[in-house]
Amino acid sequence: MSRGLAALMIVFTTLHALPASEAQQAPPANPLDAVPEKMPFDVPYGAPIVLERALEAIAAAVNEARKHDWKMNVAVVDSGGNLVTFERMDGAQLSSIQVSEHKARAAVMFRRETKVFENAIQQSNYTVLTLDGMIGSRGGIPLIEGGKLIGAIGCSGGASSQDEVSCNAGAAALKK
């Protein structure tokens, strides 16, 4: 046996003999097996959004949609997922009425933007499809005030990226 081969065998044996804490651990084969230190999307629920604030969010979302000539349905739900207010712009497709409400409810119930579900599906994380009430389309945005979840806004009627832009405008109006 050559010296080089003997040295290689010693290095190989030494590396495999190290305790797991000293050896470099490979990431889990399945990314879903990774355990985060903190709970993701851990935003506490707050008091329900009041009608006046919900109307402000809808007005901002509708104004953003009008700038681009997008026809949207916009829904705002409270922190319990109950409809507070809704607006259907002239010419907005009928099927998007329920979709806008669904996006808002999913955003408040899961405490995250619905874009998270869309991204998961695009990355082949199909386990999200087993979650009751989720929707795999962007355009549902949680409404946060004082660090608490007070409701959510959902927009539907355009491409999901257009829905998201309109919703972001609605959510931003409450941060002023």
Side-chain angles (χ1 to χ4, degrees):
M1 181 182 312
S2 72
R3 283 186 175 166
L5 184 56
L8 186 59
M9 286 180 65
I10 291 171
V11 169
F12 182 78
T13 305
T14 304
L15 285 176
H16 283 283
L18 289 175
S21 61
E22 294 178 29
Q24 202 175 40
Q25 293 184 3
N30 180 346
L32 297 176
D33 290 338
V35 179
E37 279 296 312
K38 296 193 179 213
M39 180 123 169
F41 308 105
D42 191 19
V43 179
Y45 289 100
I49 188 171
V50 297
L51 179 59
E52 181 182 352
R53 299 291 282 152
L55 290 170
E56 290 173 23
I58 283 200
V62 167
N63 285 338
E64 183 64 30
R66 279 196 182 111
K67 288 182 199 174
H68 305 283
D69 197 30
W70 301 334
K71 298 167 184 81
M72 292 285 160
N73 290 289
V74 186
V76 172
V77 299
D78 65 18
S79 53
N82 303 298
L83 184 64
V84 176
T85 188
F86 170 83
E87 185 168 333
R88 178 176 176 259
M89 296 175 67
D90 291 340
Q93 64 184 4
L94 297 175
S95 64
S96 291
I97 294 169
Q98 290 177 325
V99 175
S100 66
E101 291 181 39
H102 189 165
K103 288 179 179 184
R105 281 193 183 94
V108 80
M109 295 304 205
F110 290 101
R111 301 186 293 193
R112 64 200 76 196
E113 293 186 22
T114 56
K115 181 179 183 175
V116 170
F117 299 118
E118 180 183 307
N119 290 344
I121 293 166
Q122 288 176 349
Q123 295 167 5
S124 301
N125 177 1
Y126 301 119
T127 58
V128 299
L129 296 174
T130 66
L131 303 174
D132 286 344
M134 84 89 192
I135 187 165
S137 178
R138 62 183 86 183
I141 310 281
L143 299 174
I144 311 290
E145 192 169 71
K148 300 210 175 187
L149 183 63
I150 61 168
I153 185 168
C155 297
S156 184
S160 61
S161 56
Q162 294 168 330
D163 298 347
E164 180 182 43
V165 167
S166 297
C167 269
N168 278 327
L174 298 186
K175 294 178 182 175
K176 294 179 182 179

